[in-house]
């Protein structure tokens, strides 16, 4: 068997290598890392960091890669010399621990494009998280396993900013070296950093191989038709792709190659705050069983979960192997996409529940990556919705310039003839606080009509504010729902709110207008002259 710390730069005599889920849960309980729910899911509490530490993520500035990286707030520069000091600190810390846990895993269901990942961590539950999240090799494949990328995970270690680089006011540091192929994480127990660091790596590697990496979920219908669902947190990406009538390929990260779509992962990481057993039975059931990792979920003394309780964070999470969902696509691969769905949770309540996009509009909305945040989903927000724009629906994970991914999407849509839809899972009948959340039953019905081809056959009309083609009538959907203006009692208030959002789109377009073609510029949302 391969030496579990080979190539990591860490030396430690006590290593638990590639333990199974049951063994990892046992170790986590023996070590007092958390507790079990009434149904046997492991509950981990992450303390100070209950989400990604965006301001503490740094990319090492190295001669081999510096010219191709999108430097700025997303990819902050970390001096190579500082990174070496930080790396030495992390390796020394890991080497000094009584026990370490390693997992050897794959990222990428397509063998042609997959990478081998080795996680070295101090906690059994973080090892379980990674084992759930990534693709688990067959036991025979572990012999001679040599990682392409290594994650050195030291959540309890505090970095020293003056010596290690990073922010002067923070002892948390996530440092990614593309040249050395090492990710070092210190000062945060939030498990999502493990997942997203490898997503960033895939976003770096795949464009050079002609594959578009995407922050999206994907599923496939009974006739083999593949659909993609782009969307930021809270838009319903995981929920809507977990459809009993369609096989799930994956819930969050995929690649689009010349052969089709493939999942990067072997698990799901679902947001479970206020999760409804009735509306989302697949995710609910997966979250109530042994082997699942629950992050910052509240339970009573007997382990009974309270998914309504956001006292620790609104970003409560459930991480489980994809096979916990009953209807999944074997092998994590599907054909070329027939439909592409871009999800937004428009808290202003002015976007239609579904609209059909032209290729130019598709490129525009992909580069915009719009949704809106409201109080109750993130701390520190007031009563008014806040527009959020995230290029390619995943700006925090893009090491290359967004236009690299945008141009690839435009080329793939043109090549493969995919139909693109914009779907609003946010508010209707008024903005957040006045209107109501879009009915998930209406959203599912409209999506099914889009994916089975029937929606493309109905008559579409263009609404005046955003230039979107919306269906005039759909069986089973109230007419006033299809046209958002009709759902508002106060039409003047709708017009004012729509104009406000148009202005926000227009302002955001300035950030990427110089990188798109004339047809995309013509399709951009703008105020009437």
């Amino acid at each position: 068997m391969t030496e579990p710390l080979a190539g990591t730069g860490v030396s430690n005599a006590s290593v638990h290598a590639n333990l199974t889920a049951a063994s990892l849960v046992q170790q986590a309980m023996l070590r007092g890392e958390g507790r079990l729910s009434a149904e046997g899911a492991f509950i981990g509490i992450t303390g100070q960091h209950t989400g990604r530490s965006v301001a503490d993520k740094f990319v090492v500035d190295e001669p081999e890669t510096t010219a191709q990286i999108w430097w700025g707030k997303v990819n902050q520069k970390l001096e190579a010399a500082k990174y070496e000091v930080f790396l030495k600190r992390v390796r020394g810390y890991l080497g000094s621990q009584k026990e370490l846990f390693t997992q050897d895993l794959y990222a990428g269901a397509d063998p042609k494009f997959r990478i081998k990942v080795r996680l070295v961590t101090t906690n059994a539950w973080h090892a379980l998280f990674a084992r759930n999240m990534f693709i688990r090799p067959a036991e025979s494949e572990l012999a001679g396993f040599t990682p392409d990328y290594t994650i050195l995970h030291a959540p309890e270690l505090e970095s020293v900013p003056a010596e290690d680089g990073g922010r002067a006011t923070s002892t948390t540091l996530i440092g990614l070296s593309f040249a050395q192929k090492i990710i070092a994480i210190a000062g945060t127990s939030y498990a999502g950093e493990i997942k997203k660091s490898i997503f960033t790596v895939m976003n770096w590697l795949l464009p050079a191989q002609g594959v578009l990496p995407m922050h999206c979920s994907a599923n496939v219908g009974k006739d083999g038709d593949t659909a993609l669902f782009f969307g930021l947190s809270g838009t319903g990406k995981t929920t809507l792709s977990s459809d009993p009538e369609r096989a799930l390929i994956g819930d969050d990260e995929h690649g689009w190659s010349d052969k089709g779509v493939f999942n990067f992962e072997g698990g799901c990481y679902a947001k479970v705050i206020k999760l409804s057993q009735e509306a989302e039975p697949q995710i609910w059931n997966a979250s109530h069983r042994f082997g699942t990792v629950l992050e910052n979920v509240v339970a009573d003394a007997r382990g009974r979960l309270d998914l309504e309780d956001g006292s620790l964070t609104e970003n409560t999470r459930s991480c489980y192997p994809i096979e916990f969902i009953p209807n999944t696509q074997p092998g994590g691969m599907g054909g070329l996409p027939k439909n592409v769905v871009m999800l937004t949770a428009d808290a202003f309540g002015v976007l239609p529940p579904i609209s059909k996009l032209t290729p130019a509009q598709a490129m525009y909305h992909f580069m915009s990556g719009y949704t809106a945040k409201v109080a109750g989903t993130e701390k520190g927000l007031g009563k008014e919705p806040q527009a959020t724009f995230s290029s390619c629906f995943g700006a925090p994970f893009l090491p290359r310039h967004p236009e690299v991914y945008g141009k690839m999407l435009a080329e793939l849509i043109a090549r493969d003839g995919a139909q693109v839809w914009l779907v609003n899972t946010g508010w209707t009948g008024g903005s957040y606080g006045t209107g109501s959340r879009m009915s998930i039953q209406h959203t599912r019905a409209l999506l099914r009509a889009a994916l089975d081809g029937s929606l493309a056959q109905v008559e579409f009309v263009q609404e005046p504010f955003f230039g979107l083609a919306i269906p005039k009538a759909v069986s089973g959907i109230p007419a006033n729902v299809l046209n958002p203006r009709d759902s508002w009692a106060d039409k003047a208030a709708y017009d004012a709110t729509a104009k406000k959002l148009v202005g926000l789109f227009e302002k955001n377009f300035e950030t990427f207008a110089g990188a798109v073609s004339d047809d995309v510029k013509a399709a951009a949302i703008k105020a009437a002259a």
Side-chain angles (χ1 to χ4, degrees):
M1 184 172 175
T2 305
E3 163 57 43
L5 294 176
T8 66
V10 176
S11 178
N12 190 302
S14 182
V15 181
H16 299 282
N18 294 313
L19 294 185
T20 63
S23 295
L24 287 168
V25 171
Q26 181 184 40
Q27 287 292 327
M29 295 303 293
L30 287 171
R31 291 160 51 88
E33 293 178 5
R35 56 186 295 219
L36 296 182
S37 74
E39 296 80 15
F42 181 84
I43 304 173
I45 306 300
T46 64
Q48 176 188 357
H49 295 290
T50 57
R52 288 181 298 103
S53 302
V54 179
D56 296 308
K57 175 192 168 188
F58 289 78
V59 175
V60 184
D61 187 8
E62 297 157 314
E64 304 95 320
T65 59
T66 187
Q68 300 171 68
I69 292 175
W70 178 36
W71 296 113
K73 288 184 178 180
V74 168
N75 300 294
Q76 303 175 90
K77 286 187 179 181
L78 183 61
E79 293 177 26
K82 295 274 190 183
Y83 183 67
E84 289 304 317
V85 174
F86 176 53
L87 205 51
K88 184 178 180 181
R89 187 185 311 282
V90 172
R91 283 170 167 157
Y93 175 82
L94 293 173
S96 70
Q97 299 303 295
K98 290 182 179 179
E99 294 177 296
L100 291 177
F101 297 85
T102 65
Q103 287 285 316
D104 291 336
L105 303 158
Y106 294 137
D110 188 335
K112 184 177 178 181
F113 302 111
R114 75 169 38 142
I115 63 170
K116 297 176 180 177
V117 178
R118 174 167 291 159
L119 171 74
V120 182
T121 181
T122 54
N123 294 329
W125 84 265
H126 283 112
L128 177 59
F129 173 90
R131 187 176 179 84
N132 283 355
M133 204 67 256
F134 296 110
I135 298 169
R136 296 158 291 284
E139 192 168 345
S140 60
E141 296 173 303
L142 294 174
F145 188 100
T146 304
D148 299 307
Y149 274 79
T150 298
I151 305 172
L152 302 180
H153 187 246
E156 287 86 17
L157 172 67
E158 293 187 348
S159 70
V160 181
E163 299 175 14
D164 301 342
R167 286 194 298 151
T169 57
S170 176
T171 55
T172 298
L173 181 57
I174 300 105
L176 199 166
S177 167
F178 290 122
Q180 295 189 53
K181 300 182 179 180
I182 295 176
I183 301 133
I185 301 172
T188 172
S189 292
Y190 179 67
E193 299 289 7
I194 298 170
K195 164 188 162 71
K196 291 303 186 185
S197 66
I198 293 301
F199 185 41
T200 302
V201 167
M202 297 297 272
N203 276 309
W204 168 253
L205 294 174
L206 291 182
Q209 301 176 64
V211 176
L212 174 64
M214 303 173 292
H215 187 213
C216 72
S217 57
N219 63 25
V220 60
K222 293 181 176 67
D223 296 328
D225 59 299
T226 298
L228 304 180
F229 300 80
F230 288 94
L232 301 174
S233 178
T235 58
K237 180 162 53 70
T238 298
T239 298
L240 293 171
S241 57
S242 298
D243 185 334
E245 296 183 12
R246 298 175 64 83
L248 181 69
I249 300 173
D251 82 324
D252 196 48
E253 304 172 5
H254 293 83
W256 184 344
S257 72
D258 59 349
K259 302 296 184 185
V261 171
F262 62 95
N263 193 0
F264 291 169
E265 302 179 310
C268 301
Y269 192 40
K271 197 170 184 177
V272 292
I273 191 71
K274 297 179 173 60
L275 184 73
S276 162
Q277 184 177 13
E278 181 183 1
E280 303 168 82
Q282 293 186 341
I283 300 171
W284 196 93
N285 290 334
S287 301
H288 288 74
R289 59 181 288 183
F290 180 83
T292 290
V293 172
L294 299 175
E295 208 172 24
N296 298 313
V297 173
V298 174
D300 67 14
R302 298 182 66 182
R304 291 174 297 199
L305 303 179
D306 183 356
L307 299 180
E308 297 290 318
D309 192 331
S311 58
L312 294 176
T313 177
E314 293 285 331
N315 189 36
T316 55
R317 293 279 178 167
S318 175
C319 170
Y320 46 86
I322 196 167
E323 56 265 28
F324 282 15
I325 298 293
N327 187 23
T328 57
Q329 178 74 350
M333 299 172 66
L336 296 169
K338 185 177 179 182
N339 288 280
V340 175
V341 179
M342 296 183 183
L343 300 167
T344 180
D346 175 34
F348 293 95
V350 293
L351 288 180
I354 196 164
S355 50
K356 184 168 64 173
L357 302 183
T358 66
Q361 285 177 318
M363 171 76 166
Y364 171 81
H365 282 280
F366 184 65
M367 294 295 286
S368 297
Y370 165 71
T371 194
K373 297 176 181 177
V374 296
T377 60
E378 292 206 8
K379 293 179 181 178
L381 296 178
K383 294 181 180 179
E384 293 296 316
Q386 290 187 11
T388 298
F389 296 94
S390 183
S391 297
C392 311
F393 294 96
F397 321 116
L398 304 181
R400 299 177 186 271
H401 290 267
E403 51 262 34
V404 170
Y405 309 94
K407 288 175 181 176
M408 288 188 76
L409 180 75
E411 291 166 0
L412 290 168
I413 288 172
R415 186 193 73 187
D416 298 337
Q419 176 60 60
V420 185
W421 307 89
L422 182 68
V423 171
N424 174 25
T425 61
W427 274 253
T428 182
S431 295
Y432 169 77
T434 302
S436 58
R437 192 75 192 252
M438 197 76 68
S439 160
I440 191 170
Q441 286 78 18
H442 288 162
T443 300
R444 285 198 185 278
L446 288 169
L447 272 174
R448 284 171 183 157
L451 300 187
D452 68 19
S454 60
L455 189 60
Q457 306 307 314
V458 307
E459 182 183 353
F460 282 76
V461 296
Q462 188 178 72
E463 60 78 42
F465 288 95
F466 304 97
L468 296 169
I470 60 177
K472 194 172 182 180
V474 178
S475 177
I477 307 297
N480 69 333
V481 171
L482 293 172
N483 188 329
R485 189 174 190 270
D486 293 344
S487 71
W488 283 53
D490 187 339
K491 309 302 184 195
Y494 172 88
D495 293 346
T497 306
K499 287 176 183 175
K500 178 181 178 181
L501 184 56
V502 165
L504 296 174
F505 265 101
E506 199 168 28
K507 181 174 177 59
N508 180 67
F509 182 59
E510 296 171 5
T511 64
F512 64 89
V516 297
S517 60
D518 289 342
D519 62 334
V520 176
K521 290 176 182 174
I525 295 170
K526 43 190 170 289

